[in-house]
Amino acid sequence: EASTAPSAPSLPAELWAHALQFLFFDEVIPITSRNSIFFLPDVSAEIRTLHVRHSQNLRESSENLKQFENVDDINVFSLIEELEHQPAQHGRNRNVTNLHLDVETIENFIPFISHFPKLSVCFLGGLSSDSDFTYSLDGDQRFDVPDHQVQIAKLIESVCQGYLVGVLSTDIKLYGVVGYHGRRGC
């Protein structure tokens, strides 16, 4: 009698990894977990790109992050969330965007990306609600965090400290809200 337990289709790890790189990290973790019915050895090690949309994913355990040893590209979209976008109108010639600045992302960004020894490119910003474009700090933007300038300064300081103390490789290129290549600018 055949087993009724579900199983993942038999595909090479490289193909699974290619498909998973189009999912968000919070969707990848349950699929690649050793407790998952779909767990396939070697798939996590084949994944090269991660997309993080929730700040709590930046607190993922070191044990879980170790399995993604070959990640070289990370996009962190949890720093900025669009709350409201007001297009330019008669009498006002600039767009105004109200944004949420996620302090938890600021606090956990450097510890998270430091787990990936092959990381070479990283974006830090957010996703626009009306398109696939990403946010960085430009234009006429209003934040819901009163001390947003202080928080951004903390973020920049933590990035610089990461480079200076060697937690981040000087080969990592950061884009988005913070744009650095190595220690330049620190």
Side-chain angles (χ1 to χ4, degrees):
E1 187 172 301
S3 170
T4 59
S7 65
S10 180
L11 292 174
E14 301 84 31
L15 289 178
W16 276 108
H18 182 73
L20 292 179
Q21 77 179 5
F22 294 99
L23 298 178
F24 287 105
F25 190 50
D26 57 297
E27 299 165 321
V28 171
I29 285 290
I31 294 169
T32 58
S33 167
R34 295 191 189 282
N35 298 328
S36 169
I37 59 171
F38 296 110
F39 174 71
L40 298 168
D42 306 323
V43 171
S44 299
E46 295 293 330
I47 294 175
R48 301 288 187 267
T49 302
L50 294 177
H51 306 284
V52 179
R53 64 177 164 179
H54 301 297
S55 58
Q56 62 265 27
N57 295 127
L58 298 175
R59 292 184 276 122
E60 194 64 46
S61 74
S62 294
E63 191 61 36
N64 283 344
L65 296 178
K66 281 182 195 174
Q67 65 183 335
F68 300 98
E69 62 196 42
N70 291 312
V71 166
D72 60 9
D73 184 0
I74 297 176
N75 296 295
V76 178
F77 300 120
S78 60
L79 179 65
I80 299 172
E81 177 186 356
E82 182 180 82
L83 301 175
E84 177 186 19
H85 179 75
Q86 302 167 352
Q89 297 175 349
H90 181 68
R92 191 183 76 214
N93 60 1
R94 294 192 67 173
N95 294 333
V96 176
T97 306
N98 294 315
L99 302 170
H100 168 69
L101 182 68
D102 191 277
V103 176
E104 186 176 354
T105 296
I106 291 171
E107 293 168 352
N108 293 297
F109 176 66
I110 296 300
F112 177 79
I113 67 171
S114 69
H115 281 92
F116 302 94
K118 295 185 180 177
L119 185 63
S120 61
V121 177
C122 185
F123 172 84
L124 177 62
L127 290 172
S128 172
S129 62
D130 62 353
S131 70
D132 292 333
F133 295 105
T134 53
Y135 269 109
S136 53
L137 294 178
D138 57 7
D140 195 1
Q141 301 166 333
R142 297 180 185 151
F143 288 91
D144 65 341
V145 176
D147 65 343
H148 73 274
Q149 291 172 327
V150 171
Q151 294 299 326
I152 294 297
K154 283 182 188 178
L155 172 63
I156 292 169
E157 178 63 25
S158 70
V159 168
C160 288
Q161 284 301 311
Y163 281 127
L164 294 172
V165 301
V167 173
L168 298 180
S169 165
T170 56
D171 294 332
I172 297 175
K173 295 175 185 83
L174 294 177
Y175 298 99
V177 173
V178 290
Y180 290 106
H181 177 191
R183 287 186 274 183
R184 231 179 317 163
C186 289

